[in-house]
Amino acid sequence: MVTTDHYSAAELARQCALKGIRHAVISPGSRSAPLVRAFHAQDGIECLTVIDERSAAFFAMGMAQQLGSAVALICTSGSAVLNHGPAVAEAFYQRIPLLVLSADRPVEWIDQQEGQAIRQRGVLAAHTNLSIELPQQAEDDQTRWYCTRMINQALDATLLPAPGPVHVNLPFREPLYGQAREAFTRGRTIIQVATEAFLPPMQAETLTRTIGNSERVMVLVGQGNGDAALHTGLRKLAALPQVAVLTEATSNQNDPAFLAAIDRLLGGIDANNKDELAPGLLITMGGAVVSKRIKTLLRQWRPAQHWHVDPVDRHMDTYMSLTHSLALRPEMFLAQVGQEAKANESGYADRWRALDEHTRQQHDRLLAAAPFCDLSVSRTILARIPQGSQVHLANSTAARYAQLFPGTRDLRFFSNRGTSGIDGCTSTALGACLVSRTPTTLITGDIAFCYDSNAFWNEHASPLLRVIVIDNGGGNIFRYIPGPDSDPELLPYFEAPHHRDPLALAQSYGLTCMEARDHDSLDRGLEELYKDHPGPAVLVVRTDGVLSAATLRDYFEGLRNTLPGRP
């Protein structure tokens, strides 16, 4: 096999293949030639080219999200690696394995007015599991041993103790295009063995007894991949009359026993019922929670006890009430504690279920009277996505509207809620769709779609991808949240009306496109969208931003004003 004559690059590609990395996403450049040659020559690794580095990073992240294993991300020297920063931060907070490989100039030429030479070493360190730089020359056995050991450490750090991004910087001296026929002594592969944490029996018994003695227990589940063992444990806990289990669309934990559509549910809380719904014990698990309402409410409630269950994140005090940090996987916690907890006939779960039923009825009534706007469009879209699909929710309006509708259908939801940025939402969906080989729908807004339009500057877009752009003329969330909407003079700086047409932008990439402006054309557009197409298809839905914001305000006001006992 002909590979590069730079040992660090050749050994890196070989160890990647041995440790199960099967894909490398490459953005073009010259300084990265040793990496390109090594990965291209390596059996078992597929190389894909994505030109825009920022898009490439999110594309690779979307792939790794679905694969559960690292994807290599290769770029040249200079500002290229800085463009990986947004995706690296998102992968860090979502715990997605990503291996960033940046070629670099020789160390002696940094800060010497050499082209494409910046301070790359450690430039992504704040949001990585590990950040290292390999020797720029490895010509003796000891340096090669050191290089191989560092490579093993870096690759293992993408998965343990928790998945996440790793940055490996590789300075290369010229010549860059030399070849070798595996003339190097092969380095040793170090096998990292995963271990399982569990509660000591006495501690498990104490926690179990606490749940049984508590009258009001809330379990809040954040972003997750829909783990089956976790679902089983949550169902057993939800069967207790003192336990209310709250989930979001992106938790991918759907069950009639759980309380979904959190923001709709919380819209029915007021001064009359607030105290009786406050938990005495809060148990949290999973990743980011979308709902700002539940965060605000829990910070006001200040439960007497808050247990956060996570194998890595210690002292995650999101709700300003943390009393116990449990360093183990949530499914292990539930297997040890949830199965043995005794029932407490407090009626707490029933109070939550009664509120859920009431707000569901009011939700249906309010939606039936709603005009053609973001809210009614979201209802129609979520009801029409084919069963078994993946749904990617762009930030931030699409992700928030999804919290108003229960995820009772066979759909899996994903969203870049680690950092909650609008950059890269489309690229992430493209990468996820490519490797999952599953019908995928991205629901996005006009700002997010335009911002990541380079996602389609990509030869690997799957025909299984469908994109729905809700075009309300800007960042409509700023017309709804308190503050920006109060000053009409400043609102354009927040909402950012852009006067660009997402439909024309999609057509410029040769994509199959449709348009909707009312309920009838939306129905026709969705029917056409989900037919077979040779590539990704895009439906642009035109809504009125002012009307959409006003309707959403009226919706939440309607939930509050129709509570039992209200005048």
Side-chain angles (χ1 to χ4, degrees):
M1 179 180 69
V2 177
T3 185
T4 178
D5 59 357
H6 287 262
Y7 177 84
S8 59
E11 181 66 3
L12 183 53
R14 191 178 75 86
Q15 292 289 350
C16 280
L18 290 172
K19 287 182 177 284
I21 293 177
R22 296 290 174 257
H23 302 86
V25 176
I26 301 172
S27 296
S30 177
R31 186 61 50 173
S32 54
L35 287 166
V36 173
R37 184 176 293 281
F39 277 81
H40 176 73
Q42 182 61 54
D43 290 338
I45 295 181
E46 179 185 7
C47 295
L48 303 92
T49 300
V50 179
I51 296 171
D52 182 304
E53 284 96 356
R54 184 175 65 187
S55 177
F58 279 105
F59 182 79
M61 191 194 78
M63 296 171 66
Q65 174 196 79
Q66 300 298 313
L67 295 168
S69 60
V71 171
L73 181 62
I74 297 172
C75 71
T76 190
S77 65
S79 61
V81 69
L82 298 179
N83 287 310
H84 289 169
V88 167
E90 181 64 36
F92 179 75
Y93 287 111
Q94 269 199 65
R95 294 186 183 170
I96 296 175
L98 196 62
L99 181 64
V100 179
L101 307 176
S102 57
D104 200 357
R105 298 277 167 168
V107 294
E108 62 268 23
W109 287 109
I110 305 304
D111 295 337
Q112 297 301 309
Q113 297 185 353
E114 182 72 359
Q116 287 186 274
I118 67 170
R119 300 174 187 178
Q120 287 183 209
R121 184 174 185 173
V123 74
L124 302 175
H127 295 105
T128 57
N129 287 357
L130 181 67
S131 180
I132 65 169
E133 182 169 280
L134 295 182
Q136 64 184 22
Q137 286 183 301
E139 297 177 348
D140 60 86
D141 288 344
Q142 186 162 306
T143 305
R144 290 181 177 180
W145 160 80
Y146 169 71
C147 185
T148 299
R149 180 176 65 79
M150 293 292 285
I151 289 170
N152 274 271
Q153 182 180 353
L155 301 187
D156 289 344
T158 62
L159 293 173
L160 293 172
V166 166
H167 177 209
V168 180
N169 196 51
L170 296 100
F172 293 124
R173 284 203 178 101
E174 298 181 13
L176 302 172
Y177 294 89
Q179 302 179 30
R181 290 188 175 274
E182 286 200 303
F184 306 121
T185 301
R186 292 191 174 195
R188 179 182 301 168
T189 300
I190 301 171
I191 299 173
Q192 184 165 237
V193 179
T195 57
E196 182 68 89
F198 60 92
L199 290 168
M202 289 185 64
Q203 187 67 61
E205 183 181 347
T206 299
L207 296 176
T208 299
R209 190 165 54 250
T210 301
I211 293 175
N213 292 335
S214 299
E215 294 186 349
R216 295 180 294 180
V217 181
M218 177 185 289
V219 180
L220 178 60
V221 187
Q223 188 166 18
N225 61 6
D227 182 87
L230 178 60
H231 184 265
T232 299
L234 288 170
R235 271 189 59 86
K236 291 181 178 178
L237 206 55
L240 299 175
Q242 75 270 31
V243 177
V245 176
L246 276 64
T247 66
E248 293 193 307
T250 51
S251 71
N252 290 303
Q253 293 293 341
N254 301 323
D255 194 280
F258 307 156
L259 299 163
I262 288 180
D263 278 354
R264 184 194 75 194
L265 177 65
L266 299 184
I269 294 179
D270 68 358
N272 296 315
N273 61 11
K274 186 176 181 180
D275 291 342
E276 66 182 19
L277 294 171
L281 168 60
L282 172 67
I283 304 173
T284 57
M285 58 191 70
V289 170
V290 175
S291 174
K292 187 174 181 179
R293 290 170 177 265
I294 192 65
K295 294 174 187 176
T296 300
L297 199 53
L298 285 169
R299 288 167 187 165
Q300 294 172 358
W301 274 335
R302 297 288 181 93
Q305 290 194 56
H306 172 201
W307 305 351
H308 183 63
V309 187
D310 189 280
V312 175
D313 276 337
R314 307 294 181 90
H315 301 94
M316 183 64 72
D317 197 8
T318 308
Y319 308 104
M320 303 173 68
S321 303
L322 187 68
T323 58
H324 295 65
S325 180
L326 305 177
L328 70 165
R329 291 186 299 116
E331 53 268 36
M332 177 62 72
F333 164 78
L334 292 172
Q336 287 192 265
V337 174
Q339 294 193 43
E340 302 299 327
K342 303 299 183 182
N344 185 319
E345 300 296 338
S346 67
Y348 183 65
D350 285 341
R351 290 195 291 274
W352 275 104
R353 291 191 186 99
L355 180 65
D356 184 50
E357 175 60 22
H358 175 78
T359 55
R360 184 194 63 77
Q361 292 177 5
Q362 299 309 317
H363 167 90
D364 292 343
R365 181 184 65 82
L366 292 165
L367 262 292
F372 187 78
C373 62
D374 291 356
L375 179 62
S376 59
V377 163
S378 297
R379 174 196 56 183
T380 301
I381 290 171
L382 291 169
R384 293 287 294 275
I385 296 173
Q387 293 280 80
S389 294
Q390 292 188 358
V391 182
H392 284 251
L393 302 168
N395 289 309
S396 66
T397 302
R400 295 180 187 277
Y401 272 107
Q403 308 313 316
L404 303 176
F405 302 89
T408 55
R409 301 174 65 236
D410 183 22
L411 304 174
R412 295 186 71 212
F413 289 87
F414 300 90
S415 186
N416 287 350
R417 297 301 298 182
T419 62
S420 304
I422 65 168
D423 45 352
C425 298
T426 308
S427 296
T428 302
L430 259 72
C433 185
L434 177 71
V435 295
S436 69
R437 299 178 182 178
T438 300
T440 299
T441 296
L442 167 67
I443 305 174
T444 185
D446 50 297
I447 292 283
F449 183 78
C450 292
Y451 199 96
D452 193 25
S453 60
N454 271 0
F456 292 108
W457 194 16
N458 183 325
E459 298 298 322
H460 313 291
S462 169
L464 295 174
L465 180 67
R466 300 293 180 266
V467 180
I468 301 175
V469 184
I470 301 177
D471 178 13
N472 50 34
N476 191 246
I477 190 66
F478 295 107
R479 285 190 174 272
Y480 173 73
I481 60 176
D485 66 320
S486 63
D487 194 332
E489 186 177 339
L490 294 181
L491 184 59
Y493 294 101
F494 298 103
E495 188 184 22
H498 50 86
H499 309 297
R500 295 292 182 268
D501 186 356
L503 186 66
L505 187 56
Q507 289 171 335
S508 73
Y509 284 102
L511 303 175
T512 301
C513 297
M514 293 122 249
E515 184 179 20
R517 293 182 178 273
D518 53 32
H519 287 300
D520 288 341
S521 57
L522 177 59
D523 288 337
R524 292 193 300 271
L526 288 168
E527 183 177 354
E528 185 65 27
L529 181 72
Y530 288 112
K531 291 180 179 178
D532 290 338
H533 298 287
V538 178
L539 170 62
V540 177
V541 184
R542 316 286 192 181
T543 60
D544 184 294
V546 175
L547 178 63
S548 292
T551 302
L552 189 59
R553 283 197 184 90
D554 291 343
Y555 169 84
F556 282 113
E557 189 64 27
L559 290 178
R560 284 190 294 272
N561 288 341
T562 55
L563 286 169
R566 289 292 296 268

